[in-house]
Amino acid sequence: MKRNEELNKLTQVKEWDFIVIGGGASGLGSALDAVSRGFKTLLLESHDFAKATSSRSTKLVHGGVRYLAQGDVGLVKEALKERGLLAKNAAHIVKNQSFIIPNYTWWGGIYYKIGLSVYDFLAGKLSLGKTKYISKAKTVEKLPTIEQNHLMSGVVYQDGQFDDARLAINLTQTIIEKGGSAVNYVKVTNLLKDASDKVIGVVAEDQFSKQQYQIHGKVVINATGVFTNDILNMNNPKHGKLVVPSQGIHLVLDKSFLKSDDAIMIPKTSDGRVLFVVPWHDRALVGTTDTLLKDESFEPRALEEEISFVLNTARQYLAKKPTREDVKSVFAGLRPLAAPKDGSKSTKEVSRSHKVITSETGLVSIIGGKWTTYRKMAEDTVDEAMKVHRLGNTPSKTEHLSIHGNVKPEHVDRTNHLYVYGSDIPAIRKLQESNPRYAQKIHPDHPFTVAEVVWAVRAEMAETIEDILARRVRLLFLDARAAIDSAHNVARIIAEEKAYSEEWSQQQENEFIELAKGYLLTPYSPKVINLN
């Protein structure tokens, strides 16, 4: 993944078959589906890959227990199939995760055991394991930090867990390996149309050089998530609002609040929503909320009432009660929901199933969905585009397509933090061995090394400190203070690799620290970490 090479293709190719706008789950999925069918495919992302919603999920590959309770069996069955496929196609990223529902009523154990047995049944051959009822003693043994007062029993079920931004990078690598093109920091500013008002391409701008491109394509796919309305506006200013953002926040705590490899699932909180406490990269991830917002943003911020809700709910179920001071990082993500027709503010009943919409101009838009079903969303989108634009009927090839980095599950060592790189691990180790400095940690409290920063710049199209610390090694999401402390050194490594100036480094550092402060609940000043 070399950005300059991808940029060159923008002027070398006269007409693309598919131009995909958006470098999140739905855009990356659509581009991979199109290129694997043999189409000349280009993906354009205005920021970094997975900058918005697609790096801010609950890190679950799941059927959606909540949707089963709502009776949306079709969505659950589809998602469970996709969960199983993703566990095979990206075994280095996706893992089988045990979840425990702690029951504080005598009937809870029976109720959830029956319900989740249906969940297992719907997964069929792709099931990750059977649901089990366990006693109070066994529940406490498995979850030593669970609140034991009035605890009756537990129900254990299996679901999937993954690293969302890492999967996004692997999908980008796969697109390029298959002969497609994908480039970050190129923003679509307008649509090109012919005399019949049909979309025939895009106008785009490199966000660094400000160079403008006119790019022609047979099909343009709008896969911009919560920003779908922006592209629809370019197409037709009178289209109305099709997508509204719903915010979900997550708090990241020290592992001492969970002390288990099992996750906790609270099926009914005070406002009727589900809450998860999930082990993730040696931390405890707690979330999420569901707050309908008026406006979308690339850097949404957690609302005070959301923070209080997550902390208060977590305190009810954890023996060690988390406070604001315990929060290592807080991040918010926006889900793209179909706008409620009645104008209501409730999002609990809105389905997460996706829709593919084609405008009269030929613009194809993918709306809704979630990470788990990204592959099926992409298949449906490309199927629709091929039908509308009469591009033949080549079937999708992604159901059993191995994603970059994929290795056999038995070859994944999750005790080593490098496991998310899968088949790229030897290349990173080689870098560490090539230079003693590359083997150094970028922060003493975390395992990430200089080699991973160098690798991100050389092989994963990372352009900024944020690209590296938010989405390549995830430190901003795991420990915002440590990310702030690492900014100085990371800036200098990038500058060294790209021959940038001291002035660039300083500006990058200042911008990142300002951004990272938004991931903290308490004030913090940077500390200097010296690398030899």
Side-chain angles (χ1 to χ4, degrees):
M1 282 170 64
K2 304 209 179 295
R3 191 167 182 273
N4 287 342
E5 288 177 14
E6 299 307 307
L7 281 174
N8 288 339
K9 294 178 192 173
L10 301 189
T11 48
Q12 289 166 358
V13 176
K14 285 188 178 173
E15 186 186 44
W16 300 86
D17 294 323
F18 279 79
I19 298 171
V20 180
I21 311 170
S26 54
L28 291 164
S30 298
L32 180 56
D33 189 281
V35 76
S36 63
R37 296 193 206 205
F39 292 111
K40 206 179 290 178
T41 306
L42 167 68
L43 178 141
L44 300 172
E45 164 56 46
S46 65
H47 290 68
D48 185 30
F49 306 111
K51 155 71 180 174
T53 308
S54 296
S55 60
R56 300 159 184 269
S57 72
T58 315
K59 321 304 174 200
L60 303 182
V61 182
H62 62 141
V65 175
R66 160 177 149 190
Y67 310 126
L68 186 63
Q70 291 173 6
D72 197 341
V73 174
L75 175 64
V76 173
K77 197 169 181 181
E78 177 182 271
L80 287 171
K81 179 190 173 184
E82 292 302 318
R83 179 191 73 177
L85 292 175
L86 191 52
K88 290 182 176 180
N89 295 336
H92 63 301
I93 289 280
V94 180
K95 74 182 182 87
N96 190 338
Q97 175 67 57
S98 291
F99 288 77
I100 299 176
I101 299 176
N103 301 304
Y104 292 86
T105 59
W106 64 267
W107 51 266
I110 304 161
Y111 176 78
Y112 292 115
K113 168 73 169 69
I114 294 167
L116 286 160
S117 295
V118 175
Y119 193 66
D120 296 342
F121 173 75
L122 291 173
K125 289 178 184 174
L126 293 171
S127 170
L128 298 180
K130 281 192 172 182
T131 295
K132 292 183 294 192
Y133 172 90
I134 56 173
S135 65
K136 174 182 176 177
K138 192 70 180 171
T139 304
V140 172
E141 184 188 321
K142 282 180 164 291
L143 298 172
T145 59
I146 196 73
E147 175 55 64
Q148 295 181 36
N149 203 16
H150 302 302
L151 181 68
M152 298 278 188
S153 64
V155 171
V156 186
Y157 74 98
Q158 304 302 125
D159 236 326
Q161 201 249 7
F162 80 136
D163 186 310
D164 46 11
R166 288 302 320 169
L167 179 58
I169 299 307
N170 290 156
L171 288 172
T172 312
Q173 289 166 313
T174 314
I175 290 162
I176 293 170
E177 283 162 7
K178 294 287 173 192
S181 182
V183 60
N184 53 5
Y185 295 103
V186 175
K187 184 179 183 178
V188 169
T189 55
N190 215 334
L191 300 174
L192 294 174
K193 292 186 178 181
D194 64 12
S196 311
D197 199 39
K198 296 295 182 188
V199 174
I200 55 165
V202 300
V203 180
E205 181 185 78
D206 183 339
Q207 296 300 281
F208 298 134
S209 70
K210 299 303 174 188
Q211 182 176 341
Q212 301 274 327
Y213 297 91
Q214 287 210 352
I215 309 165
H216 289 82
K218 291 172 187 167
V219 182
V220 175
I221 291 178
N222 173 15
T224 52
V226 290
F227 304 98
T228 298
N229 296 321
D230 295 349
I231 306 298
L232 289 172
N233 260 329
M234 290 177 194
N235 183 54
N236 172 13
K238 296 177 182 173
H239 76 85
K241 207 168 188 180
L242 281 186
V243 173
V244 292
S246 160
Q247 178 160 288
I249 76 149
H250 296 85
L251 305 182
V252 179
L253 303 171
D254 187 79
K255 188 73 188 285
S256 62
F257 286 89
L258 188 57
K259 282 188 186 169
S260 176
D261 291 330
D262 298 305
I264 301 170
M265 197 272 255
I266 309 302
K268 271 221 171 125
T269 60
S270 59
D271 72 347
R273 294 191 177 96
V274 172
L275 192 92
F276 291 98
V277 184
V278 185
W280 185 61
H281 292 318
D282 218 29
R283 289 279 184 272
L285 182 73
V286 191
T288 182
T289 54
D290 208 347
T291 312
L292 208 57
L293 300 183
K294 279 186 181 174
D295 301 305
E296 61 279 349
S297 160
F298 274 99
E299 271 300 328
R301 291 281 177 251
L303 304 174
E304 198 50 53
E305 56 264 35
E306 292 179 299
I307 295 164
S308 298
F309 167 75
V310 174
L311 277 176
N312 289 337
T313 307
R315 284 182 198 127
Q316 290 173 39
Y317 294 94
L318 296 175
K320 186 179 178 182
K321 311 297 179 189
T323 65
R324 291 177 72 92
E325 287 70 30
D326 295 313
V327 176
K328 298 282 186 183
S329 185
V330 54
F331 61 91
L334 304 179
R335 306 173 192 90
L337 301 182
K341 289 186 174 66
D342 59 1
S344 69
K345 292 193 175 178
S346 173
T347 63
K348 278 184 279 186
E349 307 309 319
V350 177
S351 174
R352 292 287 188 267
S353 56
H354 61 278
K355 293 177 190 151
V356 182
I357 296 164
T358 304
S359 306
E360 287 178 10
T361 60
L363 176 70
V364 179
S365 299
I366 170 73
I367 294 171
K370 55 181 186 172
W371 250 123
T372 305
T373 55
Y374 89 93
R375 191 208 64 82
K376 184 67 170 73
M377 289 159 58
E379 182 182 322
D380 292 350
T381 304
V382 176
D383 279 349
E384 175 68 10
M386 287 169 66
K387 189 171 78 180
V388 170
H389 292 271
R390 299 193 176 107
L391 295 177
N393 55 5
T394 311
S396 175
K397 306 272 201 306
T398 56
E399 194 164 302
H400 303 292
L401 179 69
S402 191
I403 293 160
H404 180 97
N406 193 25
V407 292
K408 289 182 178 176
E410 58 268 25
H411 295 159
V412 182
D413 175 13
R414 296 192 195 277
T415 60
N416 184 333
H417 80 283
L418 291 177
Y419 76 85
V420 292
Y421 293 95
S423 60
D424 285 333
I425 293 172
I428 293 165
R429 286 204 170 126
K430 196 174 176 184
L431 263 180
Q432 289 173 341
E433 290 158 10
S434 72
N435 184 331
R437 182 169 165 258
Y438 288 176
Q440 285 188 293
K441 290 180 179 182
I442 58 171
H443 190 281
D445 298 341
H446 294 272
F448 312 116
T449 62
V450 172
E452 289 164 80
V453 178
V454 172
W455 176 259
V457 175
R458 291 182 189 175
E460 295 183 341
M461 225 186 284
E463 300 295 321
T464 69
I465 301 175
E466 185 202 338
D467 294 350
I468 291 166
L469 294 181
R471 289 172 292 278
R472 302 305 186 277
V473 302
R474 312 316 308 270
L475 187 55
L476 177 60
F477 285 58
L478 295 165
D479 187 340
R481 290 171 186 81
I484 288 170
D485 293 344
S486 306
H488 178 79
N489 288 316
V490 171
R492 266 133 198 85
I493 297 163
I494 302 170
E496 226 173 79
E497 286 293 312
K498 291 182 168 282
Y500 289 160
S501 66
E502 174 64 31
E503 187 186 8
W504 180 91
S505 286
Q506 196 54 57
Q507 187 183 342
Q508 262 288 303
E509 197 178 328
N510 294 342
E511 284 175 10
F512 178 77
I513 289 171
E514 197 52 43
L515 173 122
K517 283 178 179 174
Y519 289 68
L520 292 170
L521 294 185
T522 52
Y524 184 72
S525 298
K527 294 174 186 169
V528 177
I529 296 172
N530 291 315
L531 288 176
N532 297 334

